[in-house]
Every structure is written in C-alpha cells, then in structure tokens.
Amino acid sequence: MPPMAKHKFPQGLPTRQQVLDFIAQSAEPAGKREIAKAFGLKGTEKIALKALLKDMADEGLIDGNRSAFHAMGGVPKVTVLRIVEIDEGEPIAIPDSWNPEDASPPPRIRIIEPRGKQRDRNAALRAGDRVLARTEEAGKGWIAHAMKKLQGGEEQLMGVVELDGTGKGWLAPVDKRARNAVPISDLGGAEEGQLVLAEPAGRSPRSGMKVVAVLGDPLAPRAFSLIAIHKHGIPFVFPEAAITEAEAAAKLPLSEDQREDLRRLPIVAIDPADARDHDDAIWAEPDGEGGFNAVVAIADVSFYVRPGGQTDREARKRGNSVYFPDRVVPMLPEVLSADVCSLKSGADRAAMACHMHIDSSGNIRNWRFTRAIVRIAEVIAYEEAQRRIDESNAEAPAPSEEGVGGGGSHTQVETKVLQNLWSAWRLLEKARNARDPLNLELPERRVILDSQGKIAEIAMRERVDAHRVVEDFMIAANVAAAKALEAKVAPVVYRIHEAPSREKLTALKDYLATFDRKLSLGQVITPSLFNRMLKDIADEAEKALIMEAVLRSQTQAYYGPRNAGHFGLALGSYAHFTSPIRRYSDLLVHRALVDAYGLEQPRPKADLPATSGLSDRDRADLARVSEAISNAERRAMEAERDTIDRYVAAWLSGKVGEVFDTRVTGVQKFGLFATIIGLGGDGLVPVSTLGAERFNYDEKAQRLIGELSGEEFAMGQILKLRLAEANPLTGALKFEPVDVAEGVQRIERRGGKMDHKPRKQGKFIAGKRGRPSNIRHQGRKK
C-alpha cells in the first residue's frame, strides 16, 4: 500500500480558485484557520490570506461561512447582483457574472432592501445598479438581502460622442451638472454626434468609458424626451404579453344588467384640446332646493386591467403615464388608454360613477358609487367650454326642476348643461373658499411643437374658469371616494400632503424676519395662515419673494395607506380616484371600491384574471405599492421637468447674447438662479460675473452682498440679464449682467475637452500646457 500523501492541497498562498475548491470539498465549516492549515500558511502568509479572503468576499465569491454555493448550486451565497427591473416596487436582479456550462438563463432574484433607518440612509435601487447581496433559497426560487451598493450602475453616463483632432472619442455628458467630457476607450460602433449610453470600461478611472447603446441623433425630434426616458429608467416599451392581454380585455362585453345605465344623461368631458385619453366626465342638475345632484363618471379601468395579469404588472411598474411635449409614455397599452377605456363622445363606455349631492353651501352631503354604462354627450376643450359660457353671459339660469333632459335645440341643451355645471361649481367654490386651501399662483410652462416636432412656441399655460370647474368636481369625487372606503373600514391609498416640518418653518421664519414680518411657530400652522400673509402684501415684488419662500417650505405629497390629511387642500381625507388611465393609485382606489361595495362583474370568459378588486397581496399590505408609485411619480416629474428644460434651452439657443427681463428665484454662495419672466427658463448667474469685488452670502436673508459697494442681490429681484449660454442637450442656461465690469470674468462656453481641437506643431499634436495629466502631483506627505 503506497504511503498517503502528506498534503492534499498545494502548499503556499492559494489562488482564488483553490480557495473555492477547498470550501466546496470541506465537510465542516471552512474559515480562515482551516484554509491556512490546509495550505500550510504561516506568519505573513496568513496576513496575505486574510486580505485575499476579504477581496473575495467583496467580489461576491465567498461569504466567509461554510461554503461558497447553495445546495441548489449556481448562485453564490454572497455575490454581486445587477438590477434588471423594478417589479411592483421591488428590485429584480440577476447574477452580474453568469457563465453556466449548459447555457441556461440566469435566475431572477428578488432583492429585499433594508428597512427603517438603514433604508433611509440608502438611495432606492434602480435598474442597472450593482449590489453585493446575501442570497438564499425561497421555495423554487431565490431572494437576496442587499448588503451594499457597488460602483458601476450609477456610473452609467448618457452623452454625445465627440472626436478630437487625433480621432480619439470623448463623451460630452447630457447631465447639466457635468461640465467636462470624459474619454471613450470603446466606441462600440458609435459615430461622432450620436447620443449614446456608456459605462466605465474598467475599475480604474483611466480606463475610460465604453459605449453600450447607441440612441441616435441627440437633436432629432423626440430626442429630448428619449434622453429623459433613458436617464430616469422609465419603461416605454410594452411586453408582447401585456399587449396581447390588453387586446383580449378590450373585447370584454359590458353586462347591462350588472351596471347602472346612465346613457340618458348628457354627461360631458372637458379636457385639454390635444388630450387623447379621457378619464373623467361630469354632469349636474338643480335639486330644486338650492343645491345640485351631480355625477362624476370615471373610466372603469379596473374592469379591463385586473390584478395579477400581464397588463397590471406593467402598469404597476410604470406607476403613471409620463407626459412630454413630444410624446406620452402611457401607463396602459394604447388599445386601452386611447380607445376602450377613454370616455369618447357617442360611444358606450364602462364607467365608475360617483353620485354626489351638493347642498346650497357647496358641501357634499351624500354619495354613492356604482359601475355604470355611459355615453358621453360631447368632449369639449377647456377653452371652448369657457367661450360658450362667456357667450351666454357666464351666468347660469335660475335652477329649475326640469333639469337638462327636456326639449330645445341641440345647442341650447349643450349650453344649459354647461350652465348647470358652472352653477354647481359656484357652490363648490364657496365651500372651497370657506376651507381656504393653500393658494399659490404657480405659472406652468407649455411647449408647443409644430408638425415636424420642432418648437413652435413656448408660453405660460393660461388658466380659465373651466379648469377650476373640472378641478373642483374632481376634488369632490376624490374626497367622496376616500370617505366611502373609510365608511366600510376598507383599505385606502391616501394622497397625503403633510404640514411643513418645524425645520422648514424655522427657516421661513428667519427669512420673513428680513422683511420685518413675523411668523409665530407657537400657533397652529394652516394654509389660511399663509394665504392671509400673502394677501396682506401690497408690493408685488415682495409678494413674489415670499410666495417663493412659502412654496419651498412645503413638503412633497405622496401616497400611503395611513391617513395624515392633505395640508395644501385643507382636507382631512383625500384619495386619488379620478384618473385611473394615467395613475396606478387611482386604479387601486377603484379596486378597493369594487370590494367594499360589492361591484364585482361576472367572471370573464376570456383568459384573464377572474376578479377586478384588490389582490390579496395589496389587501394585506398597501404600504409597499404606495411607496413604489410615489417613487414613480417623482421619477416622472423629474423626467418631465428635464425635458421642458431642454426644449426651453433649444428655443433660446438661437437667442444667446440677447437681454431678458428675469426674476431671481434662488440665491447661493456661488451665484444666483434666475428665470426669464413670461417664459420660465431657469439659469445660473455665477457670482464671478456680478462684480470685481467679493460677495458675502447671507443664508437667512437669501442675499448676496458686495463687500465694498454693499450692492445686494436677493430672491424675487427683477434684473435685466444677458443670456450667455443655452445648451439643448443638458437644458442648462447661464446668464450674466448686461454690463460686465472691467476685470470681471465672463462665462466660458461649456464643453470640457472639445471646445477647441488640438493644434499641430510640426508633425506632432500639441497638448495642453502644464504638468502632464498622467504625472501625479507630489504633494507633501501627511
């Protein structure tokens, strides 16, 4: 019998693979001590082993415990995962490295994010992020607990390819916060001038970027929204399964015996002139006692989009429709959003009807919810509805018992329908004024494109009474939905707007003190307090300043299952019910009403989910989906704002050098933020352009004050400024004073590496002067 080998494993510091082999073969827990003993390590080799094991843990190869792999095999217990999508508010990931011998697809792993304070410290995971995670088996699949977010995903950059005189590629980022171009090491087939997505080519900062996707011409029509869609990770292509299911759902018959027939009522939809999806329609008639009976008919989306289906999964992922000047990214496939669900005139449509009684004081005294069939009498643009009312002297006739169903010509009936709506609205307005919600005049920019997708006009959106009529009817229906669900102790997705925090109120108090105005923090803070404050200000410039400060003091509204009221609207209970085609929150409220009031319809014969109420998962816990749709809403708002900024910058790019009347909207130590009056283009005025002297920043007063001259720049101040830069790709604007003093630095054009091409000296390319970038500065050692 030959002698047994003394050492089973090669002696000396092992390689990564040798460590993995040892762990896999070990019959007992294999820690640092066991590995060191097996490979005969001593002294400094043990220190090197400790460092090796730490590196392997960071790389996700081991977890430091018994073995590197689960019993199921394939997925390490601690590994690096890449987020591929956000599903129902939860990140779904796959292994970052996946090279199986049988070419099987990578497993989809559900990521469990930290909760509580640890969750608050970490930004929410997004598609493309890489995380080090501890994985575990869960039934037939996998879940993973995120340990830490790794560099990589967040370093993905979108930009335009530029080539210098040597043919080397550079990426000019479209993010306005990035001023310098970065080198491209792998063009990936991209050509100069193309919009691309790129990510780091390696771990070293000197590795450069590699192009991973070519998006096309950055200045082509619809490119600005495409930039925002990719930058914010907005899903914009529907899976084939979702479209197929939506087409099947669109063919569902309406059960006339299971729905209230409201086709006799001349219900009208008042919407923007260019709207394609019509969620809501309204009707009202006098009750003979000084009040009105009203109906708010809302598209019955829950009948077509059922919980657990493919269309529903995609809608949850999107959270809402996103509206850009050049396109809409809908929450639902077009066959539903623009056709079957949309309340078009003259067509029978499924609706969720909110019946309300408005008393003579404008209060909603009772309500009921039904599933109905409606036939919209007319879809009218806001401006057209307002014109008709104005032409009929804007005064509704005295309320009568006849309602609007009687005879008369078609035009007379339409006018009477609108007059009744306006009369009912006057009562709702009376109740609104008594409630005294927060009243901030906030202008909204509107980008108008021509048929080629080019900018025809940028203007501030005009609000007329027709907007307020629809708005107050919708608010009344939203309140009714929340209270109807509360009456049944049913789950509610509330729309929550909390009162300003003490920290923000303290900052507002300090700011108001600079105007010799007081804000007592000992009193109950209500919207009417801010309204009275603004009403007492006669000077328009000062009013604009304080209105801006009040706006900044407000919290951001969000969705949640625990009611905290709506501060801005001065309402105790509020939910979103009126826009289920474009908001998932409203769809959840519809489903809750279906359950609470027994509004389920017969089971469909098509291959669709059987029910249209809340899923068991949502009924048990609405917090998770509420948080997900709140995040989706913020994502959409940022994307829409970014796109508007790019369009405004494109509009202004031909006006660089012109002088505009601007209003200062922000003050920081590095400069002013100003917006063009009547247009809304926001830009930076660097402090270096304000004068040759030093400017001190007074944070409480929100002012920059010249050290020598005493010249002050404050929020709300009206200034004539010259447009110095307008970059359509980033949306960035920069201004400078009309008269730049001698010795004051003018604004340099943004551009990093590509502002000028390298010049030739003889047969060599001349680089920039100074220390070469690859030679590090030898500073004093600390």
Side-chain angles (χ1 to χ4, degrees):
M1 186 178 196
M4 194 164 161
K6 187 175 182 181
H7 300 293
K8 185 178 178 181
F9 295 95
Q11 300 300 281
L13 186 67
T15 64
R16 281 170 165 74
Q17 189 58 51
Q18 287 170 338
V19 170
L20 292 176
D21 291 343
F22 174 76
I23 292 174
Q25 296 174 28
S26 178
E28 58 184 20
K32 184 180 68 173
R33 181 180 299 174
E34 289 75 23
I35 296 171
K37 183 177 180 182
F39 291 93
L41 306 184
K42 296 178 181 178
T44 56
E45 288 179 324
K46 287 185 178 180
I47 297 174
L49 174 66
K50 182 179 180 181
L52 173 64
L53 296 178
K54 184 179 183 302
D55 287 344
M56 292 178 69
D58 288 343
E59 293 166 14
L61 297 175
I62 62 170
D63 63 1
N65 294 324
R66 177 183 172 113
S67 66
F69 290 92
H70 294 278
M72 289 169 63
V75 179
K77 281 189 175 178
V78 176
T79 190
V80 177
L81 302 175
R82 178 164 50 84
I83 312 299
V84 291
E85 67 171 304
I86 306 298
D87 183 18
E88 301 188 1
E90 291 182 335
I92 304 297
I94 62 174
D96 196 40
S97 291
W98 183 254
N99 298 297
E101 293 180 2
D102 59 358
S104 59
R108 292 169 60 85
I109 303 170
R110 182 163 56 92
I111 301 285
I112 308 297
E113 294 187 83
R115 294 193 176 273
K117 292 183 179 179
Q118 188 178 354
R119 170 69 176 270
D120 295 339
R121 288 196 297 268
N122 299 320
L125 294 174
R126 298 172 56 179
D129 285 344
R130 295 168 66 248
V131 293
L132 181 66
R134 175 172 52 81
T135 64
E136 60 183 68
E137 300 168 33
K140 295 182 179 180
W142 306 87
I143 61 172
H145 300 272
M147 296 163 64
K148 68 175 180 179
K149 189 174 176 181
L150 303 176
Q151 291 187 344
E154 69 275 18
E155 292 182 1
Q156 193 173 72
L157 274 179
M158 181 183 293
V160 176
V161 174
E162 296 180 340
L163 301 179
D164 63 19
T166 66
K168 180 176 176 56
W170 295 87
L171 185 71
V174 296
D175 190 334
K176 67 175 71 175
R177 294 168 298 181
R179 282 197 58 83
N180 296 319
V182 292
I184 299 175
S185 59
D186 182 359
L187 283 167
E191 299 176 359
E192 185 172 16
Q194 288 185 321
L195 181 68
V196 300
L197 276 174
E199 60 185 30
R203 295 188 180 182
S204 168
R206 298 176 188 171
S207 301
M209 307 292 288
K210 65 176 179 180
V211 173
V212 294
V214 178
L215 305 178
D217 181 357
L219 297 177
R222 297 161 61 89
F224 293 152
S225 60
L226 188 66
I227 291 172
I229 286 167
H230 282 280
K231 176 184 174 184
H232 295 280
I234 295 172
F236 68 105
V237 177
F238 284 101
E240 191 62 39
I243 294 174
T244 301
E245 183 183 272
E247 289 171 346
K251 297 173 184 175
L252 286 175
L254 302 183
S255 303
E256 295 193 14
D257 57 336
Q258 298 283 333
R259 289 180 178 271
E260 183 181 17
D261 191 347
L262 297 179
R263 286 174 287 191
R264 73 188 187 283
L265 296 181
I267 304 175
V268 296
I270 304 176
D271 272 317
D274 57 353
R276 296 185 62 205
D277 52 349
H278 306 287
D279 288 279
D280 55 83
I282 51 180
W283 168 86
E285 71 173 0
D287 66 356
E289 299 177 357
F292 279 82
N293 294 314
V295 171
V296 176
I298 305 298
D300 189 3
V301 175
S302 63
F303 177 66
Y304 297 102
V305 181
R306 294 164 175 262
Q310 295 298 322
T311 311
D312 181 54
R313 287 174 62 86
E314 190 66 19
R316 280 175 92 98
K317 192 187 303 181
R318 295 173 181 229
N320 47 251
S321 297
V322 188
Y323 293 85
F324 299 109
D326 55 13
R327 76 174 83 204
V328 176
V329 179
M331 184 180 79
L332 303 175
E334 196 165 314
V335 67
L336 297 179
S337 62
D339 189 4
V340 176
C341 290
S342 186
L343 302 181
K344 296 181 176 181
S345 62
D348 288 358
R349 287 290 184 262
M352 185 76 77
C354 173
H355 296 259
M356 301 182 294
H357 179 248
I358 306 168
D359 70 13
S360 58
S361 298
N363 298 310
I364 308 300
R365 286 304 175 195
N366 51 61
W367 53 79
R368 66 185 176 91
F369 288 85
T370 65
R371 270 181 152 158
I373 299 178
V374 298
R375 184 179 296 155
I376 304 305
E378 188 178 1
V379 176
I380 315 173
Y382 285 115
E383 295 77 11
E384 172 62 14
Q386 190 65 50
R387 184 191 65 78
R388 293 186 197 178
I389 284 292
D390 291 343
E391 286 184 356
S392 64
N393 299 321
E395 294 293 333
S400 69
E401 294 293 336
E402 292 180 346
V404 297
S409 70
H410 182 66
T411 302
Q412 287 175 331
V413 170
E414 288 180 353
T415 301
K416 197 169 186 181
V417 168
L418 294 179
Q419 287 173 335
N420 279 340
L421 288 173
W422 256 249
S423 295
W425 167 62
R426 292 296 179 192
L427 298 182
L428 293 173
E429 185 186 38
K430 186 193 299 185
R432 182 189 183 103
N433 291 339
R435 214 172 61 239
D436 203 12
L438 192 60
N439 184 22
L440 298 178
E441 299 167 9
L442 304 174
E444 183 183 352
R445 289 176 294 175
R446 183 182 178 206
V447 176
I448 303 169
L449 305 179
D450 61 20
S451 56
Q452 281 75 45
K454 296 180 180 178
I455 306 166
E457 183 185 357
I458 294 178
M460 306 312 287
R461 193 182 297 274
E462 182 185 2
R463 271 178 66 84
V464 294
D465 281 349
H467 291 95
R468 300 179 181 94
V469 170
V470 174
E471 183 178 284
D472 280 340
F473 269 93
M474 296 305 110
I475 289 172
N478 287 337
V479 171
K483 291 187 174 181
L485 290 171
E486 288 174 344
K488 292 286 188 176
V489 197
V492 188
V493 177
Y494 290 101
R495 179 62 169 178
I496 301 165
H497 181 225
E498 296 181 15
S501 67
R502 186 167 186 85
E503 181 184 3
K504 288 193 173 184
L505 288 173
T506 302
L508 179 61
K509 176 186 175 183
D510 292 341
Y511 180 67
L512 291 173
T514 65
F515 293 89
D516 294 325
R517 296 186 177 275
K518 294 182 179 179
L519 175 66
S520 172
L521 300 186
Q523 62 187 317
V524 176
I525 302 298
T526 63
S528 60
L529 175 70
F530 293 125
N531 292 339
R532 289 196 305 271
M533 180 195 306
L534 293 167
K535 191 176 180 180
D536 292 341
I537 302 171
D539 182 81
E540 287 300 319
E542 183 180 335
K543 189 174 184 177
L545 278 169
I546 293 179
M547 188 180 293
E548 196 82 38
V550 170
L551 177 62
R552 287 201 313 274
S553 73
Q554 301 303 304
T555 60
Q556 187 165 22
Y558 63 95
Y559 296 103
R562 294 183 180 178
N563 190 17
H566 197 293
F567 177 81
L569 292 175
L571 291 168
S573 297
Y574 193 63
H576 274 166
F577 159 78
T578 55
S579 297
I581 292 178
R582 61 185 180 89
R583 289 191 306 231
Y584 197 81
S585 57
D586 304 50
L587 178 54
L588 289 169
V589 169
H590 279 229
R591 288 173 177 170
L593 288 166
V594 168
D595 286 342
Y597 288 89
L599 303 178
E600 190 59 79
Q601 297 290 289
R603 180 171 182 155
K605 294 179 181 178
D607 185 19
L608 295 168
T611 61
S612 58
L614 287 171
S615 65
D616 292 340
R617 181 180 184 184
D618 286 339
R619 198 176 293 112
D621 179 17
L622 280 172
R624 183 166 52 193
V625 69
S626 296
E627 183 180 2
I629 58 181
S630 296
N631 291 335
E633 179 189 39
R634 285 190 282 272
R635 176 183 68 184
M637 289 170 60
E638 290 173 12
E640 289 168 1
R641 186 171 57 244
D642 283 357
T643 303
I644 294 284
D645 286 346
R646 287 187 172 91
Y647 270 109
V648 170
W651 174 254
L652 291 171
S653 61
K655 303 178 186 295
V656 171
E658 293 185 18
V659 176
F660 294 90
D661 289 323
T662 70
R663 182 166 62 86
V664 176
T665 56
V667 181
Q668 294 291 332
K669 61 183 177 182
F670 52 80
L672 314 171
F673 288 99
T675 185
I676 298 174
I677 296 173
L679 182 63
D682 297 303
L684 175 67
V685 187
V687 70
S688 59
T689 66
L690 297 178
E693 62 185 319
R694 178 186 178 85
F695 282 83
N696 295 318
Y697 175 51
D698 184 339
E699 186 174 1
K700 283 188 178 180
Q702 293 285 293
R703 283 178 166 85
L704 283 172
I705 305 167
E707 226 173 43
L708 302 176
S709 66
E711 184 177 13
E712 293 190 7
F713 294 95
M715 277 195 9
Q717 193 172 349
I718 306 297
L719 299 174
K720 280 193 177 295
L721 296 174
R722 176 179 286 110
L723 180 63
E725 179 185 303
N727 190 322
L729 293 177
T730 65
L733 302 178
K734 283 194 177 178
F735 299 102
E736 61 188 8
V738 176
D739 299 315
V740 178
E742 187 177 348
V744 173
Q745 179 183 351
R746 280 189 172 274
I747 292 175
E748 295 180 10
R749 189 173 70 83
R750 178 192 183 279
K753 295 285 181 182
M754 295 305 300
D755 280 349
H756 51 268
K757 291 190 176 182
R759 63 189 187 280
K760 270 203 167 188
Q761 290 183 351
K763 56 183 179 180
F764 299 103
I765 297 291
K768 63 181 182 180
R769 298 181 64 179
R771 173 174 55 84
S773 59
N774 63 331
I775 304 296
R776 294 185 179 179
H777 173 62
Q778 300 296 316
R780 189 190 315 169
K781 290 184 179 180
K782 294 182 180 179

